[in-house]
């Protein structure tokens, strides 16, 4: 059978319109894309069963969250594991509503949702439903990280079912738009939950300077977002002569006291996810993927790539739920690492980067920040963050940060920071001008900082000398954007392109109500934002 896909959930989708061939820009096949649609349709069916089922439990929510997370860009490329998840979803629905499949009722609970109904819907309906679906996919990633640490929220869990149910209903714009905004509301709650899970598990992040040099000897590179997997790897490698280096969104781990106490957590390797096929090509070490951000590995290094949790790629070694990382450790010892210390640099030539400026660290010196604003030492704050990607034009963010005036502060988060996080922008009143707040989910921390500043100055967030210049790539950026809109934050600059799934009418709504605008040039945007 000749499979063709339709997928437009990421920023790099073909022609800024949608991947429709046999392989998506991300590397997934049409067969995988079709199975991901089937999984989503099955989850919509499960949400219908959850609606009034008496025996919904923790396992139900975990399955729904894992199913959604699996469909995030660059998580799973494996037909086998997706089929297994579809079967599990069907089994759970049958458990909740026994005999449902044999019932002739038109209640809508006896079948999966056909995703073609969504992709072929009227464009504004498709746009709003896509915002809901892609938003909860991103939110599921954060809920999953928290769940791995033993933290959950019933209200957040229930909303996953509510949102999926809405995707499967024949509702108009007036009914769908409030659900879109509720994605933002519930994602804020979800990010707060994950923030609590991380800080209670690993301590409050503190500023740290992280070297980019890889020391001689065996080492492992760990990438993704899951700090729990990193902690387990650190425990299992302690005393074995194997050093650990973070990659991508794992960089903020160096700010957490309970993680950086391990002496063999040495530094950070490489830059953002889209450079991995080049950066991993010849390193004498294994790489462990814990969450999304996997690109199809090239044959030259595929035998050194390991996956765990929901990340899956055919023929790669997968570490199961027992989290026994012995095969990764053995591969590191076999490869041996570099014979001598090997210095690397960031994109701009810097040999170190800083992290750990979470809301705890920044608000810990709030008096200092407020005084700097009052004295005129700090004129403006910029939040320049989000996902990185390979599309041309993303050097905009490097140039924007380079051109920010010396009396401004740049807060950053997520992997978009690799475009400029090795720059030395100097200090203001003893504070670095460039402060890394953390992972993409730490947008919650940036929100807390903004709200605290607004309270200190007795104004609204939109009245602060604060501008948000964001980059996006995948679905976690969608739920974060919806959170910012839920909070009423206006005049966000977004790039490098606008989402293909946002219709002209929906875009007009966002422009008219929130002042969202595409990025232009660093010079022009700085001129407008500093007026």
């Amino acid at each position: 059978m000749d499979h063709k896909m339709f997928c437009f959930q990421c920023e790099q989708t073909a022609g800024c319109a949608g991947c429709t061939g046999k392989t998506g820009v991300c590397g997934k096949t049409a067969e995988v894309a079709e199975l991901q649609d089937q999984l989503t349709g099955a989850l919509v069916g499960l949400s219908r069963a959850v609606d009034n089922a008496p025996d919904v439990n923790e396992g139900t929510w975990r399955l729904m969250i894992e199913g959604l997370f699996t469909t995030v860009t660059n998580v799973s490329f494996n037909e086998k594991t997706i089929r297994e998840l579809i079967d599990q979803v069907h089994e759970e629905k049958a458990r909740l509503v026994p005999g449902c499949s044999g019932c002739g009722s038109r209640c809508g609970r006896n079948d999966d949702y056909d995703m073609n109904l969504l992709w072929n819907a009227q464009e504004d309906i498709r746009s709003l439903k896509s915002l809901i679906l892609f938003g909860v996919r991103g939110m599921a990633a954060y809920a999953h990280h928290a769940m791995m640490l033993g933290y959950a929220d019933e209200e957040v869990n229930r909303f996953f079912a509510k949102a999926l149910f809405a995707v499967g209903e024949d509702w108009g714009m007036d009914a769908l738009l409030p659900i879109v905004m509720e994605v933002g509301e519930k994602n804020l709650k979800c990010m707060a939950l994950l923030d609590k899970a991380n800080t209670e598990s690993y301590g409050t992040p503190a500023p740290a300077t992280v070297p980019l040099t890889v020391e001689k000897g065996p080492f492992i590179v760990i990438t993704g977002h899951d700090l729990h997997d990193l902690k387990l790897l650190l425990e299992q490698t302690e005393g074995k002569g194997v050093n650990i280096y973070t990659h991508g969104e794992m960089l903020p781990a160096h700010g957490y006291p309970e993680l950086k106490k391990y002496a063999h957590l040495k530094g950070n390797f490489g830059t953002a996810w889209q450079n991995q096929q080049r950066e991993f090509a010849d390193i004498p070490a294994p790489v462990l993927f814990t969450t999304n951000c996997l690109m199809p590995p090239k044959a030259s290094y595929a035998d050194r790539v390991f996956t765990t949790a929901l990340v899956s790629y055919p023929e790669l070694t997968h570490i199961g739920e027992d989290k026994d990382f012995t095969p990764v450790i053995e591969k590191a010892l076999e490869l041996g690492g570099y014979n001598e210390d090997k210095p690397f640099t960031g994109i701009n030539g810097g040999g170190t980067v800083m992290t750990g400026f979470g809301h705890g660290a920044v608000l810990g010196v709030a008096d200092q920040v407020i005084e700097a604003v009052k004295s005129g030492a700090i004129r403006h704050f910029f939040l320049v963050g989000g996902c990185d990607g390979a599309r041309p034009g993303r050097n905009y963010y490097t140039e924007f940060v380079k051109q920010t005036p010396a009396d401004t502060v740049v807060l950053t988060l997520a992997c978009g920071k690799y475009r400029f996080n090795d720059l030395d922008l100097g200090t203001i009143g003893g504070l670095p001008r460039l402060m890394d707040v953390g992972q993409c989910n730490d947008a919650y921390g940036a929100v807390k900082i903004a709200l605290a500043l607004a309270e200190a100055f007795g104004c609204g967030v939109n009245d602060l000398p604060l501008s948000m210049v964001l980059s996006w790539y995948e679905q976690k950026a969608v739920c974060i954007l919806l959170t910012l809109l839920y909070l009423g934050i206006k005049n966000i600059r977004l790039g490098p392109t606008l989402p293909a799934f946002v219709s002209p009418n929906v875009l007009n709504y966002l422009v008219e109500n929130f002042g969202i605008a595409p990025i232009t040039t660093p010079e022009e945007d700085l001129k407008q934002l500093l007026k």
Side-chain angles (χ1 to χ4, degrees):
M1 183 177 178
D2 187 21
H3 293 268
K4 285 190 177 182
M5 71 171 70
F6 176 76
C7 183
F8 63 172
Q9 69 174 0
C10 84
E11 189 270 332
Q12 288 177 192
T13 195
C16 294
C19 294
T20 57
K22 293 185 177 181
T23 306
V25 173
C26 67
K28 71 183 175 187
T29 63
E31 289 82 0
V32 166
E34 182 178 313
L35 285 169
Q36 289 185 348
D37 273 358
Q38 289 179 26
L39 174 56
T40 303
L43 290 169
V44 172
L46 180 60
S47 76
R48 293 165 171 168
V50 161
D51 199 23
N52 289 302
D55 193 23
V56 176
N57 58 33
E58 183 181 326
T60 311
W61 301 128
R62 175 166 181 161
L63 186 58
M64 191 172 286
I65 289 167
E66 289 185 345
L68 284 166
F69 193 4
T70 294
T71 60
V72 168
T73 303
N74 294 75
V75 173
S76 181
F77 299 79
N78 196 330
E79 294 180 40
K80 178 177 181 291
T81 55
I82 300 173
R83 290 183 196 279
E84 290 170 353
L85 257 177
I86 293 170
D87 290 342
Q88 290 174 41
V89 172
H90 286 157
E91 289 169 8
E92 181 64 7
K93 184 173 73 170
R95 184 188 72 81
L96 291 174
V97 194
C100 174
S101 60
C103 172
S105 167
R106 298 296 300 167
C107 70
R109 289 185 171 81
N110 58 353
D111 59 358
D112 295 346
Y113 178 67
D114 180 358
M115 291 294 287
N116 287 313
L117 295 174
L118 171 54
W119 307 140
N120 294 313
Q122 189 272 338
E123 66 172 358
D124 295 330
I125 299 299
R126 182 176 73 167
S127 183
L128 292 177
K129 285 190 174 185
S130 294
L131 281 166
I132 294 168
L133 176 60
F134 302 159
V136 292
R137 283 177 174 176
M139 190 170 87
Y142 301 144
H144 189 268
H145 301 329
M147 185 172 62
M148 292 300 97
L149 294 173
Y151 291 73
D153 185 288
E154 181 72 11
E155 189 179 350
V156 169
N157 289 342
R158 287 277 170 189
F159 180 72
F160 285 119
K162 178 179 179 179
L164 284 166
F165 188 92
V167 167
E169 292 300 291
D170 187 20
W171 292 351
M173 292 183 69
D174 289 345
L176 292 170
L177 191 57
I179 307 291
V180 172
M181 290 296 107
E182 194 175 354
V183 175
E185 177 193 0
K186 294 305 190 294
N187 183 59
L188 180 64
K189 195 174 184 68
C190 188
M191 289 195 297
L193 177 72
L194 180 54
D195 179 78
K196 179 181 180 182
N198 284 337
T199 53
E200 290 187 356
S201 299
Y202 309 121
T204 300
T209 300
V210 183
L212 303 181
T213 293
V214 176
E215 297 181 13
K216 67 178 181 180
F219 67 99
I220 296 169
V221 174
I222 183 168
T223 188
H225 304 71
D226 202 298
L227 300 179
H228 180 58
D229 285 334
L230 172 58
K231 178 71 156 49
L232 294 174
L233 182 64
L234 288 168
E235 290 173 350
Q236 293 180 37
T237 49
E238 192 167 23
K240 294 186 177 177
V242 177
N243 290 329
I244 306 299
Y245 291 85
T246 56
H247 172 268
E249 284 273 53
M250 278 293 190
L251 169 62
H254 294 274
Y256 288 95
E258 290 301 308
L259 297 176
K260 67 180 181 181
K261 73 180 183 181
Y262 290 91
H264 61 300
L265 178 60
K266 290 291 187 177
N268 191 73
F269 173 82
T271 52
W273 67 274
Q274 78 278 358
N275 300 319
Q276 65 188 256
Q277 291 177 327
R278 171 173 50 83
E279 293 176 345
F280 294 165
D282 57 5
I283 59 169
V287 181
L288 174 64
F289 280 84
T290 66
T291 63
N292 59 306
C293 298
L294 174 69
M295 295 176 72
K298 301 217 178 260
S300 60
Y301 67 89
D303 66 324
R304 292 178 271 127
V305 177
F306 296 79
T307 60
T308 191
L310 299 174
V311 190
S312 188
Y313 195 90
E315 299 181 5
L316 294 186
T317 301
H318 186 78
I319 308 300
E321 289 193 11
D322 62 355
K323 297 295 181 180
D324 181 358
F325 294 120
T326 299
V328 190
I329 297 167
E330 289 177 345
K331 178 62 75 170
L333 292 169
E334 172 195 330
L335 293 169
Y338 294 110
N339 294 325
E340 57 186 23
D341 292 357
K342 190 170 181 64
F344 290 91
T345 64
I347 287 176
N348 303 287
T352 62
V353 292
M354 289 195 74
T355 191
F357 291 94
H359 62 87
V362 175
L363 296 180
V365 292
D367 291 345
Q368 192 176 339
V369 175
I370 292 165
E371 182 54 40
V373 175
K374 287 180 177 178
S375 70
I378 296 177
R379 175 169 47 136
H380 204 87
F381 295 89
F382 294 101
L383 175 61
V384 186
C387 315
D388 204 1
R391 190 186 294 278
R394 285 182 178 265
N395 59 332
Y396 162 95
Y397 296 94
T398 311
E399 294 306 313
F400 185 95
V401 170
K402 282 182 178 179
Q403 293 178 36
T404 54
D407 57 356
T408 62
V409 169
V410 178
L411 301 173
T412 189
L413 51 82
C415 65
K417 61 177 168 259
Y418 281 102
R419 294 278 171 172
F420 49 78
N421 68 341
D422 62 323
L423 291 171
D424 182 2
L425 299 185
T427 61
I428 295 179
L431 296 170
R433 280 193 55 227
L434 177 60
M435 292 188 266
D436 176 12
V437 178
Q439 293 183 339
C440 52
N441 54 278
D442 290 311
Y444 172 76
V447 166
K448 286 201 74 169
I449 293 168
L451 292 175
L453 288 173
E455 183 179 355
F457 290 108
C459 66
V461 172
N462 292 311
D463 300 316
L464 287 171
L466 169 67
S467 301
M468 297 192 179
V469 183
L470 307 179
S471 56
W472 82 282
Y473 175 73
E474 42 89 340
Q475 296 76 65
K476 285 179 281 186
V478 175
C479 63
I480 290 171
L481 177 63
L482 293 179
T483 292
L484 296 175
L485 300 184
Y486 161 73
L487 290 168
I489 294 173
K490 297 185 176 182
N491 301 318
I492 295 169
R493 296 295 196 275
L494 185 64
T497 62
L498 296 178
F501 51 82
V502 175
S503 67
N505 284 335
V506 172
L507 179 60
N508 286 340
Y509 175 87
L510 296 177
V511 171
E512 290 172 6
N513 288 273
F514 299 100
I516 284 183
I519 59 172
T520 59
T521 66
E523 296 80 8
E524 182 59 29
D525 288 346
L526 277 166
K527 178 181 174 183
Q528 294 297 321
L529 295 172
L530 287 170
K531 276 185 177 179

